[in-house]
């Protein structure tokens, strides 16, 4: 955990990955930098989950085939995750489930982290040890590649950028679930309109 490796390339730049976890001969990686600016979904549907999103299709098709050679693709395995319940919270005070933060619930070769995975792999070992919405975390800051900078809308006069997580929050009918969870350029959890392709970077895992 914490190591960095180079694997594949995207738009002329080698991809640097951060090791998040290792089990046996399988390694979980996340790109160190924001590699591209993509909308979460362009289908026009009001509410979209990860499994139906156009960004999922883009990651496992366009990105997967352009970023890795045939030999490199052979080393990328299908993976799934149920997330980490200890970092989730109930939507309603009266019951434990449903949980507020949704998980992927799919098998993918390339994917985006969920909120609870982010807590486990990027926040757990910080000085606080848990996600606090009032804090900004240096571990969550993302810097775009030179290619991504061309397309990202520069909302802030800082070098970092926002990046997508994998899902909306649970739908309580208040409209928030039509937006997608993301990490802001300041390292805090926020939500963003899914059609907005120029504000947020993609950090594949």
């Amino acid at each position: 955990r914490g190591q960095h490796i180079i694997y594949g390339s995207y738009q002329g730049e080698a991809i640097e990955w951060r090791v998040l976890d290792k089990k046996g001969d399988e390694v979980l990686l996340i790109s160190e930098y924001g590699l591209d600016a993509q909308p979460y979904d362009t289908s026009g549907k009001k509410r979209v989950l990860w499994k139906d999103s156009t960004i999922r299709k883009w990651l496992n098709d366009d990105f997967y085939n352009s970023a890795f050679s045939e030999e490199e693709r052979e080393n990328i395995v299908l993976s799934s995750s149920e997330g980490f319940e200890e970092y989730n919270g109930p939507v309603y005070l009266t019951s434990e489930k449903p949980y507020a933060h949704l998980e992927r619930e799919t098998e993918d070769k390339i994917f985006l982290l969920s909120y609870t995975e982010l807590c486990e792999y990027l926040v757990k070992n910080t000085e606080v040890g848990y996600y606090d919405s009032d804090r900004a975390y240096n571990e969550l800051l993302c810097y775009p590649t030179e290619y991504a900078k061309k397309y990202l809308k520069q909302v802030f006069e800082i070098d970092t950028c926002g990046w997508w997580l994998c899902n909306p929050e649970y739908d309580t009918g208040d409209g928030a679930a039509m937006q997608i969870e993301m990490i802001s350029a300041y390292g805090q959890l926020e939500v963003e309109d899914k059609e907005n392709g120029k504000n947020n970077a993609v950090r594949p895992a």
Side-chain angles (χ1 to χ4, degrees):
R1 186 181 281 198
Q3 295 175 307
H4 290 241
I5 66 169
I6 302 294
Y7 199 79
S9 64
Y10 185 66
Q11 300 297 340
E13 298 180 65
I15 305 175
E16 181 177 341
W17 303 86
R18 188 188 307 184
V19 177
L20 296 181
D21 198 16
K22 187 177 183 195
K23 292 178 181 173
D25 60 355
E26 293 186 352
V27 182
L28 175 63
L29 307 171
I30 186 172
S31 68
E32 183 64 21
Y33 300 100
L35 302 184
D36 203 341
Q38 290 284 335
Y40 184 89
D41 188 74
T42 57
S43 68
K45 294 178 182 174
K46 195 171 183 182
R47 175 173 163 79
V48 174
L49 299 178
W50 162 255
K51 64 184 177 70
D52 302 314
S53 66
T54 55
I55 203 169
R56 179 189 178 208
K57 184 177 187 306
W58 179 82
L59 282 167
N60 285 279
D61 188 350
D62 296 14
F63 175 78
Y64 174 72
N65 287 307
S66 64
F68 307 106
S69 67
E70 186 175 348
E71 185 178 348
E72 288 168 335
R73 290 196 293 270
E74 290 176 0
N75 293 319
I76 301 174
V77 298
L78 275 172
S79 64
S80 60
S81 170
E82 296 178 358
F84 299 89
E85 286 191 12
E86 60 266 36
Y87 303 115
N88 222 325
V91 175
Y92 306 109
L93 295 175
T94 54
S95 60
E96 184 176 315
K97 291 183 178 181
Y99 290 124
H101 303 282
L102 302 180
E103 304 293 343
R104 290 193 311 275
E105 299 181 343
T106 56
E107 281 194 332
D108 300 289
K109 294 207 167 185
I110 311 291
F111 51 91
L112 301 177
L113 289 186
S114 72
Y115 166 80
T116 67
E117 289 173 317
L118 174 119
C119 292
E120 171 70 14
Y121 298 123
L122 292 174
V123 175
K124 181 179 180 180
N125 294 319
T126 62
E127 60 191 59
V128 180
Y130 58 90
Y131 184 81
D132 177 353
S133 59
D134 294 326
R135 283 180 64 92
Y137 291 82
N138 288 335
E139 291 80 0
L140 302 186
L141 295 179
C142 176
Y143 294 83
T145 59
E146 288 302 315
Y147 175 79
K149 281 181 188 177
K150 297 177 188 174
Y151 300 98
L152 279 168
K153 181 180 177 184
Q154 293 303 110
V155 182
F156 311 103
E157 292 180 356
I158 53 179
D159 295 330
T160 52
C161 61
W163 52 286
W164 291 117
L165 296 180
C166 75
N167 255 320
E169 296 173 340
Y170 182 81
D171 189 1
T172 57
D174 61 2
M178 290 184 277
Q179 298 180 306
I180 308 300
E181 292 185 326
M182 47 79 69
I183 300 300
S184 76
Y186 293 103
Q188 293 176 296
L189 181 72
E190 294 182 2
V191 292
E192 180 81 78
D193 291 331
K194 63 185 182 300
E195 296 91 350
N196 191 336
K198 303 302 181 188
N199 281 4
N200 292 323
V202 182
R203 273 183 100 177

